[in-house]
Structure formats: C-alpha cells, structure tokens
Amino acid sequence: MKAIRQYEFGAADTLRFEDVPDPTPGEGQVVIDVAAAGVHLLDTSIRAGTTGGPFPSPELPMTPGREVAGVVSEVGAGVDGAWVGRPAVAHLGMASGGYAARAVAPVAALHAVPDGLAPESAVAMIGTGRTALGILDVADLAADDVVLVPAAAGGLGTLFVQAARTAGATAVGLAGGPEKVEKVRRLGADVAVDYRDPGWRDQVLEALAGRKPTLLLDGVGGAVGRTALEMLDVGGRVVMFGWSSGAVTEFTSADVVAGSLAVVWVTGPRMLRRYGGLRPLETRALAEAAAGRLVPVVHPFPLADAARAHTALEERATSGKVVLVP
C-alpha cells in the first residue's frame, strides 16, 4: 500500500510517499481503509521534532497521522466481526499511522460514522471538532456575547463562528487576506476583518458601534492576541488554546485586574484530563456535524501531497480543516 514515511525530523520535504507493507491488526485492533486522514498544525510540530510539553517526539521512522475515517476492512482477535464493512472514524493518538491507504486503530477508539456524514467531515470532527467543543464548553457562549475569533477561517475558527451564530451571539471573525475574510463573512460572521490590515482594531470597534467584545477565543497569540485582549469589555473572558503566531499572548496580572478579566487555558493537560475523557466530546462532535449544526469546512489534499499540505498549513494558505484523501 501507499503511505507517507518520515526518517528524520525537519522540514516538510522529509515526508516521503512510499510503498509499505499492508498493516495487520493485533488483538483489540482493526484495519481501516482510509478515505480521509486529518492534518493538524500539531502534526507539523511533530514532523519538525519540536512538539515539547506533554507531547514527546515519536520514534523514527514513522508514518504520521492522528485521525482517520474510512471503512473497516479487517479485525483482530477479540473484535466483533460486525465491524467489517462499516464506515468508521477514529483518533489514533500521536503520529500513529494515519497518512496511509490503510491504518490500524484500537477498536476502543472507533466511532461509527453517522449516516450521511462524509469521511472528510467525520475526520475533521473526531479531532478538531472535539477540541472545538471542549473549548466552547469552557467559553460558555451566551446570546449577549460579542465573540472575537482570531484565525476565523481555520479549522477551529470556522466552527467557533458557527457556534456563536447558533447561540445568538455576535460573531467577530479575524482572518488573513481578503479571500479568507470573505469566507468568514459567508459563514455568518457579523463582522469580518483582515488582521493583516494595521487598522483592523478600529474597523472592528467601528462595526460594533459602541459595543466591545466580551469573549476572546485565542488560538493565535502574538500581537493579534494582545490587541484582541486589549479590546475586551470590562469583565471579558479570555479562553486560550494555542499560539499559531509562534508566541503566546502576553498579559500580566495587572491586565487581569484592570479589565476584571477571566483568563483560562483550555488545551494540553486540562483537556487531556477532562472528566469523563475525550470520547464524549468526539461523540457529540460527530452528532453536531451529522445534524448540520456544526459543519466543518474542509481543505483537501491528495495523500501523495502531504508535504505540500504541511507547507500550506504552516504558511497559513489553507482554510478550514486540512484533510488528506486517496
């Protein structure tokens, strides 16, 4: 079968499209014929060997990929044979072989794909969707919120804009470039601006006509995150979950006191130690997509072009969830 292999940490060109032996399921495992494999910004850090924190670098050589959807084609010992032929989706864990024509998954990680849900959408929701719901649970969106979403054209951001609109809140989406801004506007954002424009802050405040953001969903950090934090109304909430800019949003306890802000970091150990585990989030995410309440925006690349997908993601040249397809 075809798969992406990596023999050294480094740039995107370390990802090689090769022939490899078909996998065999062990006890408690299944083989999925992969119709879609999810790609995440964390995958680029794993590839580069710079994950850090609770995510140690995997042993090489490896086949990257943490999320897959497709059809179960084979089961190992102790697995119900009724899974064979069923559409399924699974989160595999760190760098666990998803960028391939066939992937091994623990049966305990499997979810049946809801009827009518495309594999690309299912794979988007099993990872990015579950993270979005975990963040939204903490954010506690309300109809009177003004929600500021940096990177609103990304995999998480597109879901946040939809969630804000569903809650009846005012959605403010920031995106890089006119094309992405237009996509965010089409998603239903009340305000959509280009954060690359030096005057984006004033544009947002003018559009809000005297209101201020009450909730910041910050996965970008850096200068954009800092400016967004300074825009919050008194008593505003900051829900932090990443730093795609390369730097975490800087603030001090004095900022918190001055604005009566509530600040929380959601991802990492807090998310991994979530009461009840992550599986309930996965189930909910799939159900939300199947019901059409949260529709993932997908940016597909051929499996053979995994290196190009990584480069595009790192250069912020993608919209929505990046997915590899056969």
Side-chain angles (χ1 to χ4, degrees):
M1 71 172 189
K2 292 292 188 180
I4 299 298
R5 295 291 285 168
Q6 182 174 359
Y7 298 89
E8 60 183 327
F9 295 116
D13 61 7
T14 60
L15 301 178
R16 305 179 188 177
F17 187 55
E18 297 182 345
D19 288 305
V20 300
D22 284 354
T24 301
E27 184 173 357
Q29 296 180 326
V30 305
V31 171
I32 297 176
D33 289 349
V34 178
V39 182
H40 192 279
L41 192 61
L42 178 59
D43 292 1
T44 67
S45 297
I46 294 171
R47 184 210 70 226
T50 59
T51 50
F55 305 112
S57 295
E59 294 184 5
L60 299 176
M62 70 165 180
T63 294
R66 303 180 303 130
E67 310 152 350
V68 295
V71 175
V72 176
S73 59
E74 192 176 352
V75 300
V79 178
D80 187 346
W83 274 110
V84 175
R86 295 181 65 186
V89 60
H91 198 289
L92 307 177
M94 294 293 289
S96 297
Y99 294 8
R102 305 180 81 206
V104 173
V107 69
L110 289 188
H111 293 263
V113 175
D115 291 342
L117 191 64
E120 295 87 350
S121 295
V123 86
M125 296 307 285
I126 199 70
T128 299
R130 79 176 186 186
T131 300
L133 287 182
I135 293 166
L136 290 168
D137 282 353
V138 174
D140 196 21
L141 268 172
D144 58 354
D145 272 318
V146 178
V147 186
L148 187 53
V149 184
L156 286 170
T158 52
L159 297 176
F160 293 151
V161 170
Q162 294 175 60
R165 298 297 294 141
T166 298
T170 299
V172 180
L174 310 180
E179 183 178 346
K180 288 187 177 182
V181 168
E182 181 56 32
K183 289 180 178 179
V184 171
R185 189 173 288 116
R186 289 200 300 268
L187 278 173
D190 299 277
V191 180
V193 301
D194 187 346
Y195 64 76
R196 296 178 181 178
D197 187 325
W200 71 262
R201 178 185 184 277
D202 293 336
Q203 292 175 34
V204 169
L205 294 177
E206 181 179 356
L208 290 175
R211 299 182 71 191
K212 289 185 176 182
T214 59
L215 171 62
L216 169 60
L217 300 176
D218 183 17
V220 172
V224 171
R226 175 65 200 186
T227 299
L229 183 145
E230 292 172 354
M231 294 168 63
L232 287 174
D233 203 353
V234 173
R237 292 118 62 208
V238 183
V239 179
M240 304 174 72
F241 53 90
W243 59 92
S244 61
S245 67
V248 178
T249 295
E250 293 188 0
F251 67 93
T252 68
S253 56
D255 296 316
V256 174
V257 172
S260 294
L261 302 178
V263 183
V264 61
W265 188 275
V266 180
T267 50
R270 176 179 177 136
M271 183 79 76
L272 293 173
R273 296 175 185 174
R274 177 186 172 91
Y275 180 76
L278 296 176
R279 188 172 178 86
L281 288 179
E282 297 171 355
T283 302
R284 282 173 52 203
L286 292 169
E288 290 293 298
R293 289 185 292 267
L294 286 178
V295 180
V297 176
V298 173
H299 192 139
F301 288 83
L303 174 62
D305 290 342
R308 185 165 64 90
H310 273 221
T311 297
L313 191 56
E314 291 174 305
E315 294 179 351
R316 302 182 189 178
T318 63
S319 297
K321 173 70 174 182
V322 177
V323 174
L324 301 178
V325 296

